[in-house]
Amino acid sequence: MEKQLAFLGPRGTFSEEAARALTARRPFRYLACPSIIDVLNAAATGEADYGVVPVENTIEGTVNAAMDWLIHEVDLPILAELALPISQHLLVAKRDDVLPLNAITRILSHPHAIAQCHNFIREHLPHAEIEYTNSTAQAAQIVSEHPEEPWAAIGTRLNPEIYPLSFAQQEIQDYSNNYTRFVLVGREPLDMPPSDREKTTILVTLPEDFPGALYQVLAAFAWRKINLSRIESRPTKKGLGSYLFVIDIEQKMDDVLLPGAFAEIEALGCQVRQLGTYPFYLKAIS
């Protein structure tokens, strides 16, 4: 029986592209969900077997909804990660005449997509109203369903293959090195192809009465020569100024180094929770 994989829909999102890239070697049934939280809840409750969500973008940083839900609301191990190159395009409904940029009155897209194209919008579409949607594909769908309106969507290269749209302008993102990190999560292990890069992600909650605890946490990795690729503070949601730390470690879980580091951190009175140890891919699995 085919497993089901949830992603942020509707069809044509970067999340769908990442989902298909991460699972290219096996058949999956795909479930499009209206929000990132719905994707994670589907995987957590069994409506889907796995889910793919964005967690960080080169330009906009952390996708807060995804990280906070993974930290506070669901217990879903990270099974794999993909860094997907992101290209944004300005799309308009297909029509008999060409819609010039100065005639566009409204731009629809996901907030992160809008933010990735600020310079283009300021230069070419400063007069246009901005409307945020749950996904780039939803924006594309809305624009395609209202061809009589002078609206445009910021979306993916896949959108014109799915909806009656055409490119008004291609590659409008502010930076060419625009990537989004997507993670594959699920309740059951999944056999993934080998990768030359492995990661482990943990959450560390510091004791409230231990000055310099974060320094001691980092020292536990430093003297073992364990490389950390990301350290990010997230609110514990227990009060102002109360934080936990998300730490990405540039190696998979082993039998000696990481358990030793975790034991040293816990001896300080810190809480350590492992979010996953998994392969990291810089391109689609083929």
Side-chain angles (χ1 to χ4, degrees):
M1 181 177 178
E2 286 183 348
K3 299 290 188 179
Q4 184 157 260
L5 178 68
F7 66 90
L8 175 63
R11 286 203 56 211
T13 60
F14 289 113
S15 291
E16 180 184 10
E17 188 176 340
R20 293 183 182 277
L22 279 165
T23 58
R25 288 190 175 184
R26 66 185 76 234
F28 270 93
R29 290 182 294 115
Y30 294 96
L31 173 66
C33 296
S35 73
I36 287 171
I37 290 173
D38 289 318
V39 172
L40 295 174
N41 283 343
T45 60
E47 182 184 356
D49 299 284
Y50 302 97
V52 168
V53 293
V55 292
E56 185 183 20
N57 175 260
T58 303
I59 299 171
E60 281 301 288
T62 299
V63 181
N64 292 328
M67 286 306 305
D68 285 347
W69 214 254
L70 284 171
I71 292 169
H72 297 290
E73 303 295 338
V74 296
D75 185 12
L76 289 170
I78 299 174
L79 305 175
E81 180 182 308
L82 170 69
L84 185 73
I86 301 297
S87 295
Q88 303 287 4
H89 308 282
L90 190 69
L91 309 170
V92 295
K94 285 187 175 180
R95 44 197 287 168
D96 295 335
D97 58 330
V98 176
L99 184 66
L101 295 185
N102 60 12
I104 294 172
T105 61
R106 181 177 298 180
I107 307 167
L108 296 86
S109 200
H110 187 275
H112 277 215
I114 295 289
Q116 291 165 27
C117 305
H118 271 324
N119 291 342
F120 179 87
I121 292 171
R122 281 199 299 266
E123 181 177 353
H124 300 283
L125 298 162
H127 56 282
E129 174 188 355
I130 292 174
E131 180 177 330
Y132 295 120
T133 58
N134 284 337
S135 69
T136 53
Q138 184 187 48
Q141 183 177 12
I142 293 171
V143 169
S144 71
E145 292 172 350
H146 296 83
E148 75 285 355
E149 300 288 352
W151 297 349
I154 295 176
T156 75
R157 191 175 296 278
L158 289 176
N159 293 149
E161 299 176 12
I162 300 169
Y163 306 105
L165 297 168
S166 58
F167 293 103
Q169 191 85 22
Q170 299 189 51
E171 304 284 349
I172 66 169
Q173 68 274 4
D174 294 342
Y175 300 95
S176 58
N177 61 336
N178 186 19
Y179 284 79
T180 294
R181 294 171 51 227
F182 291 87
V183 294
L184 172 69
V185 297
R187 295 165 296 145
E188 299 295 331
L190 188 63
D191 184 28
M192 297 297 296
S195 171
D196 58 358
R197 294 182 64 181
E198 299 277 347
K199 294 174 68 174
T200 300
T201 298
I202 62 171
L203 301 177
V204 176
T205 304
L206 305 181
E208 296 180 1
D209 57 350
F210 194 123
L214 180 58
Y215 173 83
Q216 298 284 359
V217 167
L218 299 181
F221 295 109
W223 77 261
R224 290 178 172 85
K225 300 188 184 301
I226 297 172
N227 188 45
L228 308 181
S229 60
R230 181 174 68 125
I231 304 171
E232 178 184 356
S233 63
R234 302 297 305 164
T236 64
K237 301 188 184 294
K238 295 179 180 178
L240 286 174
S242 178
Y243 296 95
L244 51 78
F245 293 86
V246 183
I247 300 177
D248 283 350
I249 303 165
E250 286 288 307
Q251 71 175 65
K252 65 181 179 181
M253 193 69 183
D254 61 355
D255 295 327
V256 179
L257 282 179
L258 292 190
F262 297 168
E264 183 175 331
I265 293 168
E266 288 171 340
L268 300 171
C270 300
Q271 297 177 14
V272 179
R273 174 185 161 198
Q274 186 175 316
L275 284 186
T277 185
Y278 50 90
F280 171 68
Y281 305 99
L282 278 170
K283 60 180 180 180
I285 298 169
S286 57

